[in-house]
Amino acid sequence: MKELILIIIGSALVNNVVLSQFLGLCPFLGVSKKIKTAAGMGGAVIFVITVSSALTSLIYEYVLTPLNLEYLQTIVFIIVIAALVQFVEMVLKKISPGLYKSLGVYLPLITTNCAVLGVAIINVTKEYNLIQSIANGFGTACGFTVAIVIMAGLRERMEHNDIPQSFKGTPIVLVTAGLMAMAFMGFAGVI
């Protein structure tokens, strides 16, 4: 149990997928304008990364490895992720049309979010078993959610600040992301 907690904390804070590995920057920068939208995206990413970590781990261990088809891992992982994203898209469209509409193009882009595929490949590379893969996926997704919600909160507050004209828009967002990345480096000594 201690090992799983360390994997979750390590993947969420110490090796944050957005702020230290720089994966998943497109939705991080694109969907982080409002906290509600960012939290919705975070919830969708938590579901997709956690479930895809489990499925890709099982497929790799029980299908690809026994058949010596490890070289197909990337294609198979993308297919699994795409199917999960389609499922999430259908559920959100039915349950929460407002959130579905506010996520817009970024929801289907979870399929190509390099963070989702990166977690599946990291799980294989680190030779995690099923439970460790799920813990790593969940921790990584929680770290993504924390980062995107913090960024959304900061961006909402920046709307009311007097920012120099040359820094308005994307420049101040990138500066803020850099400062957040430096702040998250403080977690490096935790594990």
Side-chain angles (χ1 to χ4, degrees), residues 56 73-83 111-112 117:
T56 55
Q73 77 180 15
T74 304
I75 295 168
V76 172
F77 292 176
I78 290 172
I79 291 169
V80 169
I81 292 164
T111 303
T112 58
L117 180 60

Side-chain angles (χ1 to χ4, degrees), residues 89-162:
E89 198 171 352
M90 289 186 306
V91 169
L92 278 180
K93 192 173 188 179
K94 188 79 169 169
I95 293 175
S96 180
L99 178 60
Y100 173 79
K101 192 172 183 177
S102 66
L103 289 174
V105 71
Y106 292 100
L107 186 58
L109 285 179
I110 293 174
T111 303
T112 58
N113 184 344
C114 52
V116 182
L117 180 60
V119 171
I121 293 173
I122 288 169
N123 289 339
V124 169
T125 304
K126 291 189 175 183
E127 298 179 0
Y128 284 156
N129 63 30
L130 176 63
I131 302 300
Q132 291 170 326
S133 294
I134 293 170
N136 186 47
F138 179 74
T140 300
C142 287
F144 176 87
T145 303
V146 165
I148 197 171
V149 168
I150 290 172
M151 176 60 93
L154 291 171
R155 286 179 79 171
E156 282 185 4
R157 293 194 69 172
M158 281 190 277
E159 287 178 6
H160 307 292
N161 293 341
D162 186 27

Side-chain angles (χ1 to χ4, degrees), residues 8 11 13-14 17 37 39 44 48 52 56 62 77 83-84 94 107 125 127 137-139 153 155:
I8 291 171
S11 59
L13 299 176
V14 178
V17 71
T37 307
V48 170
S52 70
T56 55
Y62 295 111
F77 292 176
L84 283 171
K94 188 79 169 169
L107 186 58
T125 304
E127 298 179 0
F138 179 74
R155 286 179 79 171

